[in-house]
Amino acid sequence: MNVPNQLKYAASHEWLSVQNDIGTIGITDHAQQELSDVVYVQLPEVGRKVATKEATAVVESVKAASDIYSPVSGEVVEVNTALENDPALVNSEPYEKGWIFKVKLSQPDETNALMDAANYSKQIGA
């Protein structure tokens, strides 16, 4: 199971990468494997204000549809429009081209409540 050390993780299986005050969010390798083949991603609108743990996007797979929760509060500043034509990027490159949305953090300290790679690995039994 791929759990990159440089990322933060939510218990609901989203990952977060922060550069300056912009957080990039996607779902983990574990989550995409549990969902199996992703067939559609409902992206949030740019400019939408989101709160921590708020359902912000939806990923649909051949097995189920799952809400994707924002691990931080802020404003959606960019969405991955490549997923509209190729939602399988969530499966093939969950930590790179499969990112889902970016948020300008309004409360950067919220990242302290997220798990590091070691703790997330324990949660998923990896």
Side-chain angles (χ1 to χ4, degrees):
M1 193 71 55
N2 186 7
V3 182
N5 286 329
Q6 73 275 18
L7 302 176
K8 296 281 199 168
Y9 299 89
S12 51
H13 307 288
E14 291 83 10
W15 59 262
L16 173 74
S17 171
V18 178
Q19 287 191 327
N20 300 318
D21 61 347
I22 304 296
T24 302
I25 295 146
I27 63 170
T28 65
D29 189 30
H30 171 78
Q32 68 82 19
Q33 286 186 19
E34 291 292 311
L35 284 168
S36 72
D37 297 333
V38 173
V39 295
Y40 178 74
V41 179
Q42 182 180 345
L43 299 167
E45 289 189 28
V46 172
R48 176 179 166 184
K49 305 265 193 251
V50 296
T52 302
K53 300 181 183 178
E54 180 179 332
T56 305
V58 177
V59 172
E60 291 184 28
S61 72
V62 294
K63 290 172 76 176
S66 295
D67 288 333
I68 306 302
Y69 301 95
S70 182
V72 290
S73 299
E75 179 180 343
V76 176
V77 293
E78 187 176 351
V79 297
N80 186 356
T81 56
L83 298 177
E84 293 172 342
N85 294 324
D86 191 3
L89 288 171
V90 172
N91 295 114
S92 62
E93 301 185 54
Y95 299 113
E96 289 132 10
K97 292 182 180 176
W99 64 274
I100 298 173
F101 59 95
K102 295 184 180 186
V103 171
K104 182 174 183 177
L105 281 64
S106 61
Q107 300 177 43
D109 289 349
E110 290 176 336
T111 61
N112 296 332
L114 299 172
M115 290 181 272
D116 61 15
N119 285 327
Y120 182 69
S121 293
K122 285 180 192 171
Q123 176 184 311
I124 61 173

